[in-house]
Amino acid sequence: MAFRLFVPILAGATLRERLLACIGAMIGIALTGVISGLATGGGPHVALLVAPMGASAVLLFAVPASPLAQPWSIIGGNSVSALVGVTVAHFVHDPVIASGLAVALAIAAMSFTRCLHPPGGAAALTAVLGGPAVISAGFLFPFAPVALNSTILVALGFLFHKLARRNYPHVAAPAANSHGTADLPARERVGFRPEDVDAALTALDETFDIDRDDLERLLRQVELQAMVRSHRTLLCQDIMSRDVISVPEQATAEEARRQLLDHNIRTLPVVDAEARLTGAVGLRELTKAVDTVKGVMATAGTASPNTPAMSLLPVLTDGRSHAVVIVDSERRVLGLITQTDLLAAAARVQAADNGLAA
């Protein structure tokens, strides 16, 4: 039971993510203090920091996908709130009333400027109760050190997340249509719609710390995982074509084009001299070919024979891929699954389910 106390309460949290957060916060806060000290003439041994930066670092490095941890949220939230706090302290001299009023007005100001950031409340409170140093800084306090600290911390966070191969600033992946039309991608035309997400959020009448587009993307992934689980017994090896037409890397564009047309197929796996998969070509790639297919081949979508067939849905409905190559551990081609193969398999499964239900 003791170990259960350490189970992360945040969805998706892993040990690796938490260790990265610890390392990032350590480096980010230390360097922010040093750089801020140098920028204000205090020298490298003077850490010019305000306490809310510690809370900002938790959000920036531990939950970088949160809307509350984005660059404008951190820089704007802290700076706007500090300005509100200084203004309130200037006009309201009772510390109890000033404290409550500063935090309340900071929330309102951050909401209107679309930079809600929890540490902003601490920045506003620091401006009111910060003591002689804050009072002497006056209206300079929101800019140096608060805005200065925030900007440096965000810049360091951006660099750290890039090195750690994290997506920051976080932007939800758009539902792009590769055909350049206004239609939604094929896999998003079934199931729930964006307006259903909006209606659900309205019905729940709560605020969630997740971007609305990220929430929709998460729900679609949940739908896919549920489908894969319910049809887990249908594997790639059960529906794949086994007599696969492929071409060597050194084949000419004309040879590859002839294979595509003669066999009425849309994708050709490309293999090396040892018959290992190196890519794939279709008519689209061959229009750019000037010599061999090796120079124009695209990355091939792959799966193993024991992969649940329904898990190929995201690849085969992205508007670009027409087939997935089934390979072994050495990337030797074992089979091929096309959009038609998966559609036929799904139809059979549906028919079987309906028969059982009847």
Side-chain angles (χ1 to χ4, degrees):
M1 289 293 293
F3 289 107
R4 294 186 64 181
L5 296 175
F6 298 95
V7 175
I9 60 173
L10 290 176
T14 63
L15 177 60
R16 175 183 178 276
E17 292 294 304
R18 288 295 161 263
L19 290 176
L20 280 174
C22 294
I23 295 169
M26 177 179 67
I27 296 172
I29 288 294
L31 287 180
T32 297
V34 170
I35 296 171
S36 296
L38 289 171
T40 55
H45 301 295
V46 178
L48 182 64
L49 282 169
V50 289
M53 291 306 111
S56 294
V58 173
L59 288 169
L60 175 60
F61 294 103
V63 282
S66 169
L68 306 177
Q70 301 314 298
W72 172 237
S73 295
I74 296 176
I75 298 172
N78 285 327
S79 304
V80 168
S81 297
L83 182 60
V84 168
V86 169
T87 304
V88 170
H90 183 75
F91 291 102
V92 181
H93 302 293
D94 184 304
V96 175
I97 297 175
S99 298
L101 191 59
V103 174
L105 291 178
I107 294 173
M110 288 187 289
S111 298
F112 280 117
T113 53
R114 298 180 61 83
C115 59
L116 191 65
H117 185 58
L125 204 56
T126 301
V128 171
L129 305 176
V134 175
I135 294 173
S136 63
F139 282 93
L140 182 62
F141 176 72
F143 304 98
V146 176
L148 178 63
N149 283 175
S150 301
T151 303
I152 294 172
L153 185 64
V154 166
L156 292 170
F158 175 81
L159 179 61
F160 178 82
H161 288 309
K162 289 301 177 187
L163 293 175
R165 296 183 178 179
R166 279 172 156 183
N167 176 24
Y168 186 84
H170 179 75
V171 179
N177 185 327
S178 62
H179 301 298
T181 64
D183 290 321
L184 287 173
R187 62 177 177 270
E188 297 189 13
R189 294 176 206 161
V190 294
F192 66 87
R193 293 179 173 274
E195 53 265 32
D196 298 328
V197 177
D198 295 331
L201 290 172
T202 301
L204 290 174
D205 194 24
E206 290 187 54
T207 300
F208 298 93
D209 185 12
I210 182 173
D211 181 82
R212 182 224 168 279
D213 292 333
D214 281 332
L215 178 60
E216 181 177 345
R217 189 161 60 103
L218 174 62
L219 292 175
R220 293 198 183 281
Q221 188 63 30
V222 170
E223 274 193 331
L224 173 63
Q225 294 301 324
M227 181 180 294
V228 170
R229 175 178 51 78
S230 61
H231 299 106
R232 190 170 295 277
T233 55
L234 185 65
L235 304 178
C236 288
Q237 63 186 3
D238 300 325
I239 66 170
M240 68 183 185
S241 302
R242 298 174 185 271
D243 184 14
V244 181
I245 308 298
S246 61
V247 292
E249 292 177 321
Q250 303 308 316
T252 65
E254 183 55 37
E255 291 171 341
R257 190 178 295 108
R258 189 182 308 114
Q259 291 273 44
L260 287 169
L261 296 175
D262 288 349
H263 294 280
N264 193 27
I265 53 179
R266 304 181 70 175
T267 301
L268 273 177
V270 180
V271 296
D272 61 16
E274 298 180 353
R276 291 188 175 90
L277 181 71
T278 57
V281 293
L283 292 176
R284 179 177 53 207
E285 287 79 24
L286 293 177
T287 59
K288 311 170 190 174
V290 293
D291 190 7
T292 64
V293 298
K294 184 177 182 179
V296 296
M297 64 183 182
T299 302
T302 61
S304 70
N306 294 321
T307 300
M310 290 302 170
S311 67
L312 305 187
L313 272 173
V315 178
L316 293 178
T317 58
D318 63 5
R320 297 182 301 272
S321 304
H322 302 295
V324 172
V325 186
I326 311 303
V327 296
D328 61 16
S329 58
E330 297 182 350
R331 290 186 66 82
R332 298 186 190 279
V333 178
L334 301 178
L336 191 80
I337 294 179
T338 65
Q339 294 166 322
T340 303
D341 295 329
L342 193 62
L343 181 61
R348 289 199 301 273
V349 169
Q350 184 64 41
D353 290 345
N354 290 339
L356 289 174

